[in-house]
Amino acid sequence: MDRGILEREPELARLASAAREAADGAGSVLLVFGEAGIGKSSLVRAMPDRLPLQARVLVGQCDDLATRRPLGPFRDLVGSVGAELARAVTEGGDRHRVYEALQGELAVSPHPAVLVIEDVHWADEASLDALRFLVRRMERLPALLVLTYRDDELSRGHPLRHLLGQVSRAPRVHRLPLARLSLDAVRTLSAPGGLDPAQVYEVTSGNPFFVSEVVAAGGTGGVPPTVVDAVLARLRGLDPATVDALEQLAVVSSAVERSLVDELLIKGVAVLAEAEQRGLLAVAPERVAFRHELIRRAVADSVPAARRIDLNRNVLAALVARPGSDAARIVHHAAQAGDRDAIARYGPDAARDASGAGAHREAAAQLRLVLHQRHRYSPPELADLLERYAVESYTIADSAAAVTAQREAVSLRRSLGDTLALGGDLRWLSRIHWWAGDADEAQAAAREAVAVLEHAGDDRLLALAVSNIAQLRMLSDRYPEAVEHAERAIVLARKTDDAAILSHALNNQGTARWRGGDPGGRHQLEESLEVALEAGEVEHACRAYANLIWTLLDNLQYAEADRFLPPAMDLADRAEHLGFLTYLHVELAIRRLAAADWEDAERHAEFGIHDFLPARCPALTVLARIRTRCGRPGAGELLAEAREIAIRTRELQRTGPVAAALAEAAWLRGDHAAVIEAVAPLHAQARHLAGVPYRAELGYWLTKAGQPVPADDDSGHPYALQARGQWRRAAALWHTAGCPYEYAAALAESPEPADKLTALSKLDALGAEPLARLVRAELRGLGVRHIPRGPLAATRGNPAGLTERQLQVMRLLAQGLTNSEIAARLVVSVRTVDNHVRAVLDKLDAPTRRHAAVRAAELGLLADRET
């Protein structure tokens, strides 16, 4: 066996098995992960010998660049793949063409393809989008997708997290966490050099790369204290010209193509022979690469800063002189060399390339570099760059950067007297402020945009600005004004024959009418969807779907919402509109909450607890209501943040559900004053609206807290019926709508013990312990002697009463994992894990994690189970 892959036979066997299944048409995704130096690349290099005959192995590498190369790992495949994929990734502007070409390449039969993307933790956004596309389709391809990454480098907000979340839901996925080497393996590797294996193991902790470097350095007696020293020890004795060549190549954060090697090395590739013999480099006819990224880093980091700047200048000069060089690479080396002129010259093009490829994070990073050189641009050029940076930041949900940049762009437009550009930028500023959750600033910018464009002579820009006003009025429940503005935008949009703006305006008017009590608005909203779909305006179609589904959910039309959710999510997923996809996941969480499917609701809500505030607020609200109804801790903290976000939006669609959730939690703990405090101001606001849902629910909670509200005589909403004491009619409506928790809660309001007992059985089945506890107390107050003690069968199977997710967390906790490590394993937020751990400790009556593990073992809860 290759000494470099000791103790990897099970992983290689599993990889080979997955490849054989792919050859039979059952494709899958295989994740190889672990810390830096754990042997991910070694496993990939050993893989071809274990694969079926004639299997094609395609390997792409993600690079640790300051600003990533768009589609970098797929560009590495050029020369090994068909012409269509090569052209698609090289040109890069049409991402759907790239996706289709990738799928076509992997669909080639009869030879199965194994596509390996290494170091995905460094992947650019366009590459992550392409991988998301592939992940959803791998089970239908005769191919295997292998992704390697460092799981110890994934922060809570790391872009890779979303992809891993999607992989976790794929039908066919294999996980290969790589462990460190055992002392026996280190003994085997140390023996030829006569080293003390215990000493090597102590210094390296069994990390395969560290071990191999210490052994290669011949570190007997005085073992090098760091791996950097181990690498540098291997450089000693090399010809100075070879060391110079290694240092030159080390500043290039990727494999170096042969043509660039020849330009950088005066003595040519032959000067590298000795370094290759010592195992530092892999030299091939088409490229040269360091054997391991840590070797490259160690060499680069050892070079004095002054020389490193000079080496980067050499690379920069070579790239600039070559036609067709990647602008992102040029900017990277320009930044490392401190060449501000080159950054200013090539940065805008690098950002445009990244944006065209869908790599919006990289585009924003490029523009951020460019704007450090803002004095090199004329005012009109600078205004354009600021606007581009603001839009890219908005796209990646960096609201603070987007607002700052767009404000500066607007200021420049004012000074330039460019009316049309000013109006367009003000409209963007309004949208960006809304995205950031600042309603007042959004409204102010929207009004000024219309004022500026009113007589500027561009009907299209004016139509969009007017439709933006309509949207804000609709979102703030000013329905008559929204309808009026939207009507004007519709006329202008039809005049300019702009389908996108027409869909936008129809959406605003239809939603305002429907939510304002006019059922005809639904038809108009569906027309907005049809216009967008027919014109291929995916963003507007997603927004139409989102508003349509949200209103159906508010109206308790869950079966109708179920009809629209799948095509909406499929469209957003296929088009990689991640903001809308996130929002739709949250809408699905609201739907599953109504069905009392707590676990599924929580899973979908967790998609929304990131930086996109319009989704984060309702996602936090759903998660809080689940915790409240199941008696789990953490609801208060979630609702406090949700309320803070909601207040800034000034939108009842945000503040209303948060207030209702606060009221429910307060009522369950018997704090009627807190119910009134949370609900009364919002109910006063909702009473003046034609729409019913928020008014009905808020009024119900006030009634429960002992504060009568004016009768909502014309409303047949079940909450309004309950507020009037018509619990039986309300229970029937909740049952018909498919809301078991609300059905049981309404039934529990009956004065009859039999009804309360029925409600109790439903609540016990749902695991709704807080409300069940109150119902038991009421039954005892009525003198009922035989009250069921609770879900006995569930208790026998799980004596601690843990949910399935809590069982998963508890088992990982018992393995000694930290909350961050558990979050990474389950692909959820650290905050979610914190809440689960608190619940586990509480239910096991354990003061510490160690006590919880002991208690769980005593209860037999640590049986092996897939986590």
Side-chain angles (χ1 to χ4, degrees), residues 296-367:
R296 185 196 69 78
R297 283 189 177 187
V299 174
D301 290 348
S302 72
V303 177
R307 173 160 167 72
R308 194 158 57 242
I309 290 172
D310 196 49
L311 295 173
N312 274 287
R313 283 177 178 162
N314 294 340
V315 181
L316 175 62
L319 291 173
V320 168
R322 298 168 65 200
S325 288
D326 189 331
R329 294 181 74 187
I330 292 176
V331 173
H332 170 77
H333 290 286
Q336 297 299 310
D339 191 330
R340 297 173 181 175
D341 288 334
I343 292 172
R345 179 178 177 184
Y346 294 99
D349 288 340
R352 188 173 291 106
D353 291 345
S355 183
H360 297 289
R361 289 186 182 87
E362 286 66 42
Q366 296 284 7
L367 289 165

Side-chain angles (χ1 to χ4, degrees), residues 26-365:
S28 59
V29 182
L30 191 145
L31 303 177
V32 179
F33 55 93
E35 64 189 1
I38 201 65
K40 300 181 290 294
S41 295
S42 297
L43 189 75
V44 169
R45 286 195 296 271
M47 177 181 67
D49 292 338
R50 312 300 178 92
L51 297 179
L53 293 177
Q54 298 181 318
R56 295 183 303 136
V57 180
L58 307 171
V59 181
Q61 176 73 50
C62 302
D63 303 318
D64 185 20
L65 295 171
T67 51
R68 317 284 195 225
R69 288 187 302 151
L71 298 173
F74 300 106
R75 291 173 187 260
D76 288 349
L77 304 181
V78 174
S80 304
V81 296
E84 176 56 29
L85 178 55
R87 284 194 297 269
V89 298
T90 302
E91 296 170 7
D94 186 345
R95 62 180 178 178
H96 296 292
R97 178 187 175 197
V98 172
Y99 301 166
E100 291 170 2
L102 275 170
Q103 184 175 4
E105 186 71 32
L106 298 184
V108 174
S109 59
H111 309 312
V114 178
L115 173 58
V116 182
I117 305 297
E118 292 205 70
D119 295 324
V120 188
H121 51 278
W122 289 329
D124 64 284
E125 187 175 4
S127 296
L128 289 174
D129 285 347
L131 290 173
R132 277 189 281 269
F133 175 88
L134 286 179
V135 163
R136 293 190 302 274
R137 292 159 177 80
M138 287 309 300
E139 66 170 321
R140 301 189 297 274
L141 292 172
L144 176 64
L145 175 62
V146 180
L147 306 178
T148 77
Y149 62 95
R150 298 180 186 174
D151 60 339
D152 59 346
E153 293 193 7
L154 302 186
S155 61
R156 176 181 176 185
H158 196 288
L160 180 56
R161 287 244 183 243
H162 187 275
L163 174 63
L164 294 179
Q166 183 172 322
V167 172
S168 71
R169 299 185 300 280
R172 296 177 55 78
V173 57
H174 313 275
R175 294 175 175 83
L176 297 185
L178 300 185
R180 294 179 178 182
L181 298 178
S182 67
L183 179 57
D184 286 341
V186 173
R187 184 176 292 110
T188 300
L189 293 171
S190 304
L195 304 182
D196 180 353
Q199 189 177 29
V200 174
Y201 187 80
E202 180 181 358
V203 170
T204 64
S205 300
N207 180 290
F209 173 71
F210 294 177
V211 172
S212 63
E213 292 307 305
V214 169
V215 170
T220 55
V223 179
T226 66
V227 173
V228 172
D229 289 339
V231 173
L232 297 183
R234 296 174 71 177
L235 300 184
R236 286 195 288 269
L238 287 175
D239 185 274
T242 301
V243 174
D244 287 345
L246 285 172
E247 291 177 348
Q248 178 64 80
L249 296 182
V251 301
V252 182
S253 300
S254 61
V256 188
E257 61 270 34
R258 179 61 185 276
S259 59
L260 183 57
V261 172
D262 292 340
E263 292 178 48
L264 292 174
L265 305 184
I266 297 174
K267 295 186 178 182
V269 73
V271 76
L272 302 173
E274 192 177 359
E276 182 185 14
Q277 289 170 352
R278 293 199 183 186
L280 295 167
L281 293 172
V283 179
E286 64 276 2
R287 60 174 57 88
V288 174
F290 284 87
R291 284 286 184 184
H292 196 287
E293 170 64 14
L294 293 181
I295 298 177
R296 185 196 69 78
R297 283 189 177 187
V299 174
D301 290 348
S302 72
V303 177
R307 173 160 167 72
R308 194 158 57 242
I309 290 172
D310 196 49
L311 295 173
N312 274 287
R313 283 177 178 162
N314 294 340
V315 181
L316 175 62
L319 291 173
V320 168
R322 298 168 65 200
S325 288
D326 189 331
R329 294 181 74 187
I330 292 176
V331 173
H332 170 77
H333 290 286
Q336 297 299 310
D339 191 330
R340 297 173 181 175
D341 288 334
I343 292 172
R345 179 178 177 184
Y346 294 99
D349 288 340
R352 188 173 291 106
D353 291 345
S355 183
H360 297 289
R361 289 186 182 87
E362 286 66 42

Side-chain angles (χ1 to χ4, degrees), residues 619-633:
L620 291 170
T621 306
V622 168
L623 291 171
R625 295 199 96 152
I626 293 169
R627 282 154 178 72
T628 296
R629 293 178 178 184
C630 294
R632 289 157 48 189

